[in-house]
Amino acid sequence: MGKTLFDKVWDAHIVHQIEGGLDVLYIDRHLIHEVTSPQAFEELKERDLPLFRKEKMVATPDHNIPTKNQHLPIKDALSKHQVDTLLKNCEEQGVELYGLGHPFQGIVHVIGPELGITLPGRTMVCGDSHTSTHGAFGAIAFGIGTSQVAQVMASQCLLQAKPKTMRITINGELKQGVLAKDVILYIISKLTAAGGTGYFVEYAGSAIEALSMEARMTICNMSIEMGARGGMIAPDQVTFDYIKGREFAPKGEEFEKALDFWRTLYSDQEAVFDKEYNFSAEDIAPMITYGTNPGMGIKITENVPQHLGNGSQDSFLKSLSYMGLEPGESLLGKEINHVFIGSCTNSRIEDLRIVADYVKGKRKAKHVSAMIVPGSKQVETQAKAEGLDQVLAAAGFELREPGCSACLGMNEDKVPAGAYCVSTSNRNFEGRQGPGARTLLASPLVAAITAVEGKIVDITAHLN
Amino acid sequence: MEKFDKVISTAVPLPNEDIDTDQIIPARFLKATSKEGFGENLFRDWRFDKDNSAKKDFVLNDSTYSGSILVAGRNFGCGSSREHAAWALADYGFKVVVSSFFADIFKGNALNNGLLPVQVSDAFLAKLIGAIQTDPSTDCTVDLNDQTISFDDHQEHFEVNSYKKECLLNGYDDIDYLVSIKDKITAFEREAITI
């Protein structure tokens, strides 16, 4: 029987199997940030345990940092303490750290790939559910809790039950104006916010193969929003070209050797998945969410449904009430006051280019506040080198410094209560972008057009 | 970790579906560097309004309901991997969360903190919620050893991984185990092709 891509990578990392069906899984790279690591460092200290493989760890602050004036001391005392604690822990324990101002600093899921830390066939974890992003390279990457962060620190391993496998195949050609974000919002709207729970997903098909690495990352990033622990895409020439020459990627002969291995990473023809879904790329249109979980998404031109699948009507109506929407309502024409472009889902250079390309020579609507937060220092530097900062500034967009920012409202970048925000981030949960904030998830293109129009529109009418 | 055996308690009903970890503990309360005190902000924005006064219609502010068992709608704990959600529930005093479906990461985090996620059928969940709402003094028994949950004359078996069950019953955690097999891990590093 053939093996799936997931099986190949997982099985190669099993150190030991124990009763009850749990595997001791070896972890190749461990990314840490300021919010979910301090208690883990503390745990090790209390038990008098050293870091087992500190050279396999990389740290950066991203969740709880300001996106303005990063060269100045952090104003919020608790945030400062948390970021300082990461610095102190890394310094004491000898962990590689890219702190504020460092040219490699950024959102942990943006810097891993851009530095060549994320490689096909690797197992990677981080105390953050969007670790699924790295699966775009054919790595097994998933989010973990802080107890598990401590376990990996102490042993470079985790005790895990092997998830079931799911393949989602999308064949065909995406229509104009349909981006990777629309693809994943469409998939989640079909599978629901719990449809992937218990599974590890592989995305396949001609529409996926045609995507850039950054677009593939957007798709894998949101696997967790349907409950799946992670998402993967088989590495191909697009992947290898992306990796080549990156800071920590294998070089020269090592790269060639790695290539031989990476080329074995695909699902065998006869491999059997526990679940399979097939979609046509042509059926996907620009998407937007209307509710308080990412499964509550519609094509931008569709009306809010009357109910949600088999879910409880009570929960559905509570969600709509929070959003200030009615069943059956159209979102077209809805006035929007906030636009947020950023997060580990959509803050890479291609996302910034899409926005800049659209807003060039245009101006955001007067009543809209439009914030664009690059995913990393490298993205920020690249954007400036291409003059995107000038284009964005001329269009009235505020370009910030890198961080998670208004995706989760941990720092001061928040959306006011009751206000609508069209956001390129990954979660539209109640209060996610600030208490009472109403988030509508969409692609960077939809976000850019919304900022210019000041309301939700059928974007196809605005494309050349 | 504290040992877990059997819990007999009244229960608190929260039938909403898809309760995400941002509701359980909003991100702005994740700035602490220790595990303590998160219970204070459990369900913060459902429990308190912006002036920090208790919202009367939220179940945790309703003195009719109390106990160490939270009974919630399906897909409990979806979203972020923040273990702070499990810390907040445990710190508030919950020992068990009952739902008909749990998000993966939350389930793992709960088990690592001695908070038992009990997955029951939709039908059992509906009956349990109905019983608590009709009579808030209804006692519910969760027996880890037997893997049963019962109230009135209803009982259901629940699944728990046998290794995790042993850990909970004995108060062990995964670090103890992983550190004990370091030789195996080192041998794996020597032999396996890892890049």
Side-chain angles (χ1 to χ4, degrees):
Chain A
M1 202 178 84
K3 276 188 161 188
T4 66
L5 164 64
F6 173 78
D7 289 329
K8 287 181 184 178
V9 182
W10 182 278
D11 294 352
H13 287 84
I14 298 174
V15 173
H16 184 57
Q17 292 182 301
I18 64 165
E19 50 154 343
L22 295 183
D23 293 336
V24 175
L25 192 74
Y26 192 81
I27 303 302
D28 293 318
R29 286 297 180 276
H30 185 193
L31 309 171
I32 63 167
H33 62 84
E34 76 278 24
V35 179
T36 57
S37 68
Q39 294 89 348
F41 276 112
E42 201 52 43
E43 184 85 46
L44 262 67
K45 271 180 215 160
E46 277 168 23
R47 294 173 187 240
D48 202 20
L49 289 168
L51 295 179
F52 186 62
R53 295 290 178 253
K54 63 182 180 197
E55 67 278 11
K56 291 180 187 268
M57 295 172 67
V58 176
T60 195
D62 56 1
H63 282 64
N64 190 11
I65 54 172
T67 56
K68 258 183 179 174
N69 296 320
Q70 287 183 348
H71 61 289
L72 298 177
I74 298 174
K75 281 186 202 152
D76 181 287
L78 283 174
S79 302
K80 183 174 188 310
H81 178 67
Q82 199 174 46
V83 173
D84 287 348
T85 302
L86 179 73
L87 266 54
K88 187 169 153 279
N89 281 330
C90 289
E91 199 169 296
E92 277 175 11
Q93 309 268 351
V95 175
E96 183 84 4
L97 168 88
Y98 306 129
L100 285 183
H102 191 285
F104 294 164
Q105 181 269 335
I107 303 176
V108 69
H109 310 309
V110 175
I111 70 166
E114 75 183 8
L115 290 172
I117 295 167
T118 306
L119 295 177
R122 271 190 174 163
T123 47
M124 299 179 67
V125 294
C126 174
D128 186 277
S129 60
H130 293 109
T131 308
S132 57
T133 311
H134 308 267
F137 291 78
I140 286 183
F142 54 90
I144 55 176
T146 297
S147 295
Q148 293 174 308
V149 171
Q151 290 159 25
V152 180
M153 284 177 174
S155 70
Q156 207 57 35
C157 287
L158 279 176
L159 265 171
Q160 290 285 299
K162 190 176 182 179
K164 290 182 279 189
T165 55
M166 177 190 287
R167 179 163 58 188
I168 299 174
T169 305
I170 304 165
N171 282 316
E173 215 171 299
L174 294 174
K175 289 189 285 198
Q176 195 196 6
V178 176
L179 306 183
K181 183 61 162 290
D182 300 305
V183 174
I184 190 63
L185 285 175
Y186 177 84
I187 294 172
I188 303 167
S189 77
K190 296 290 177 196
L191 270 69
T192 80
T197 305
Y199 293 89
F200 223 91
V201 178
E202 179 177 345
Y203 302 95
S206 58
I208 300 294
E209 287 160 20
L211 296 174
S212 70
M213 281 319 296
E214 297 196 0
R216 294 178 190 186
M217 286 185 239
T218 299
I219 293 194
C220 289
N221 171 275
M222 288 188 72
S223 303
I224 184 71
E225 308 314 336
M226 52 185 169
R229 202 64 188 276
M232 297 176 93
I233 294 171
D236 58 11
Q237 198 55 46
V238 177
T239 321
F240 310 144
D241 291 345
Y242 177 98
I243 295 169
K244 197 167 187 176
R246 302 224 166 232
E247 186 76 19
F248 300 110
K251 306 267 164 25
E253 212 174 293
E254 287 295 307
F255 184 79
E256 296 305 317
K257 221 170 86 186
L259 263 183
D260 288 342
F261 165 57
W262 295 342
R263 289 201 168 107
T264 67
L265 299 173
Y266 54 84
S267 288
D268 296 331
Q269 204 113 62
E270 59 278 29
V272 177
F273 289 81
D274 295 303
K275 210 166 208 173
E276 293 238 33
Y277 289 96
N278 288 281
F279 298 107
S280 293
E282 288 78 8
D283 290 343
I284 307 175
M287 298 284 293
I288 195 155
T289 64
Y290 60 87
T292 54
N293 75 55
M296 302 172 84
I298 48 175
K299 291 176 183 168
I300 213 164
T301 52
E302 286 176 338
N303 294 349
V304 172
Q306 299 288 343
H307 55 85
L308 187 65
N310 302 323
S312 112
Q313 188 67 2
D314 196 32
S315 294
F316 176 71
L317 293 176
K318 266 187 193 145
S319 174
L320 287 193
S321 154
Y322 177 85
M323 292 300 292
L325 297 170
E326 298 289 334
E329 186 179 345
S330 167
L331 295 180
L332 296 178
K334 183 121 212 130
E335 189 177 290
I336 299 296
N337 290 92
H338 297 266
V339 167
F340 171 67
I341 295 158
S343 86
C344 54
T345 314
N346 282 120
S347 63
R348 298 179 179 83
I349 192 68
E350 286 178 12
D351 300 314
L352 271 60
R353 284 181 193 141
I354 286 164
V355 175
D357 191 45
Y358 182 79
V359 304
K360 193 169 192 173
K362 299 185 180 76
R363 180 92 197 150
K364 71 166 182 72
K366 277 203 177 103
H367 63 274
V368 171
S369 125
M371 198 202 295
I372 184 157
V373 186
S376 71
K377 210 72 196 164
Q378 290 205 56
V379 171
E380 184 189 357
T381 306
Q382 178 71 22
K384 286 181 175 164
E386 294 179 18
L388 306 187
D389 56 332
Q390 302 296 326
V391 173
L392 293 167
F397 282 63
E398 192 185 355
L399 181 66
R400 294 289 189 95
E401 292 169 294
C404 299
S405 182
C407 171
L408 83 165
M410 228 187 133
N411 69 357
E412 53 278 15
D413 306 343
K414 288 187 178 67
V415 176
Y420 288 105
C421 178
V422 169
S423 176
T424 69
S425 54
N426 39 57
R427 289 191 174 133
N428 49 357
F429 296 153
E430 281 185 35
R432 173 81 178 177
Q433 297 195 288
R438 292 162 164 169
T439 303
L440 300 104
L441 303 175
S443 78
L445 182 60
V446 168
I449 296 177
T450 305
V452 170
E453 298 300 318
K455 60 187 179 190
I456 295 173
V457 295
D458 174 6
I459 70 155
T460 50
H462 294 260
L463 300 173
N464 299 325
Chain B
M1 201 166 69
E2 221 173 290
K3 288 182 189 179
F4 189 106
D5 182 15
K6 189 192 251 190
V7 170
I8 303 171
S9 166
T10 51
V12 180
L14 186 58
N16 305 41
E17 296 185 341
D18 301 312
I19 295 176
D20 58 75
T21 51
D22 275 86
Q23 306 320 310
I24 300 172
I25 182 90
R28 62 186 190 280
F29 300 111
L30 308 186
K31 297 183 182 184
T33 51
S34 82
K35 292 181 187 178
E36 278 80 47
F38 287 102
E40 204 180 308
N41 294 312
L42 176 69
F43 294 116
R44 180 76 202 190
D45 294 333
W46 287 355
R47 250 167 95 195
F48 302 101
D49 64 21
K50 59 179 190 303
D51 310 319
N52 294 327
S53 45
K55 291 184 182 176
K56 285 202 179 78
D57 58 349
F58 186 60
V59 71
L60 293 190
N61 297 324
D62 182 346
S63 56
T64 320
Y65 299 105
S66 64
S68 58
I69 301 174
L70 179 69
V71 184
R74 64 181 282 112
N75 200 22
F76 186 83
C78 58
S80 147
S81 62
R82 63 188 70 161
E83 194 158 318
H84 311 66
W87 297 336
L89 287 160
D91 187 48
Y92 185 84
F94 288 115
K95 295 191 176 345
V96 175
V97 184
V98 181
S99 178
S100 57
F101 198 79
F102 287 95
D104 276 339
I105 306 181
F106 174 79
K107 200 195 301 191
N109 287 342
L111 288 167
N112 283 335
N113 286 278
L115 174 71
L116 185 66
V118 173
Q119 187 164 326
V120 296
S121 66
D122 283 316
F124 187 89
L125 184 72
K127 268 189 278 181
L128 177 57
I129 289 171
I132 306 164
Q133 287 175 336
T134 309
D135 178 7
S137 70
T138 303
D139 265 330
C140 185
T141 302
V142 175
D143 188 327
L144 176 60
N145 213 16
D146 292 350
Q147 295 179 231
T148 55
I149 173 167
S150 49
F151 68 97
D152 298 338
D153 53 354
H154 302 283
Q155 190 177 70
E156 198 166 277
H157 175 84
F158 62 87
E159 293 299 326
V160 58
N161 177 276
S162 58
Y163 165 82
K164 294 308 274 186
K165 180 176 170 177
E166 283 305 305
C167 284
L168 285 167
L169 289 171
N170 296 301
Y172 302 152
D173 63 28
D174 291 357
I175 292 192
D176 299 330
Y177 174 74
L178 290 168
V179 170
S180 77
I181 59 158
K182 265 190 182 164
D183 291 350
K184 278 196 173 71
I185 299 169
T186 310
F188 174 88
E189 286 178 321
R190 273 197 309 269
E191 289 154 23
I193 310 162
T194 55
I195 51 160

